[in-house]
Amino acid sequence: MTITTFSGFLIGLLFGFVLERGYFCHFSGFVDATVFKNYRILKATLWTLLFTTVGFHAAAAAGIIQLNPKPLLIVANLAGGVIFGFGMFLVGACMAGTTFKIGAGTIAYFLAAIGIGAGAFFTREGFLKPYYKNIQEMMKIEIAKKSPTLDNVLGANPWIIVIILSIIFIFLLILLKEKNIGSRAEKISIWNKIFVNRWSPLFIGISIAITQILAFYASTKAGKKYAISLTEGYSLIPKSLVHWDFSNSIVTWGYLLVLGIIAGAVIASLLAGEFKIKMPKTKHLIIMPIGGILMGIGAGVGGGCNVGHLLSGLPQLSIGSIINSIAIFATLYILVYFKFIKNKN
Amino acid sequence: MNQEKIQLNLTGELCPYPLILSLKKYQELKNDVNSGKKILEIITDCLSAIDNIPTEYKKRGFKVDVQKIEAGKWKIIIKK
């Protein structure tokens, strides 16, 4: 293993730490926002997208990274997003959420992760591989042999799109501005602010964006050339165990990234005094692996999860990532609506 | 006034169920909790819950106190 590959673990540590401190999960955040009008994680997501979109383009302009937007595979993006959305609903966490919540000691999410690994492995390396390859080729659209992005489809300067998106994100953040309920004026030490208290949406956004730019730079050195995405690691970890092969072609930057996220979350939750091994309830023994398998298949088919597509793909203006993200959250909305919103008191 | 404490143990429940189940209990006890006759105490080890339960009940006009029982486990006290 080279130091460039190992940097995946270090970036994972940092990302896992940030995720746990922010308690940043797109399932929790989605339910909080749609059912309870609690916009903490939605705001953190908007800050993240704002800083990452600007950051990626600035870093690309400075020659630090080279953008590498995901392809537009209309059928795969839609099908993958819908399957992933179903899985996320059953597990009750997104891909990032599942990973860092393992680090905080909840065994139920480890069961989900086993499902994700199995689903991603079957799709990318196992018996579903022929179908996955076929679906990926259906309605695959390229523009001058490049992945379609908002800027190359519209024939616009990417910075114009970046500025328009930034204005939209800022507008939404202003719209969601709310009174700080029950905030106390007491002085909080820097240590407590970073290691004990939950982070503010703004601080989460800045931290994830910085982690993303570092990830893009480091993964390029390691030959992956993408920001944070978890699907590769989730499909390779089972592969290494099945074949008992830990060579460089399997233990990649993305493989170590996933392990790093878990380790980072362990450290964060221990420092905060939140770490506790929590045994699953009986219902979790069934629902978590099933939901996980769907998440793994969905991410495998669609070419990424909510992190690879929304947090890393949208900032690169990839249309495939935007369509996949919409499919994930539209599916989730329908399920959350019937389960939690329709009969809400 | 002697306030009766109603304890709801949601240990092991994961996001979003601690908040959902606490609201179900609250609906049952609504009148007594709203009048201050009863206090709702929720035991949880879900880290989403220690954020979204206080936010939700503060929005409904309650005083919320989050006490750590041990590492990774909290008692959330909800009263008028």
Side-chain angles (χ1 to χ4, degrees), chain A residues 9-24 96 99-100 103 191-199 203-204 207-208 211 257 259-272 274:
Chain A
F9 186 78
L10 299 178
I11 297 287
L13 272 184
L14 180 60
F15 192 51
F17 186 88
V18 172
L19 289 174
E20 206 283 336
R21 289 296 65 229
Y23 223 73
F24 186 79
T99 316
F100 83 77
W191 173 272
N192 278 2
K193 268 188 182 164
I194 294 176
F195 294 107
V196 181
N197 290 14
R198 274 282 97 78
W199 289 0
F203 195 58
I204 295 168
S207 306
I208 295 181
T211 311
L257 176 81
L259 299 182
I261 293 173
I262 299 174
V266 170
I267 295 170
S269 60
L270 277 174
L271 285 171
E274 292 178 344

Side-chain angles (χ1 to χ4, degrees), chain A residues 58-81:
Chain A
I64 297 167
I65 59 169
Q66 218 179 350
L67 296 182
N68 182 21
K70 284 185 193 279
L72 172 56
L73 318 160
I74 296 183
V75 176
N77 287 143
L78 289 173

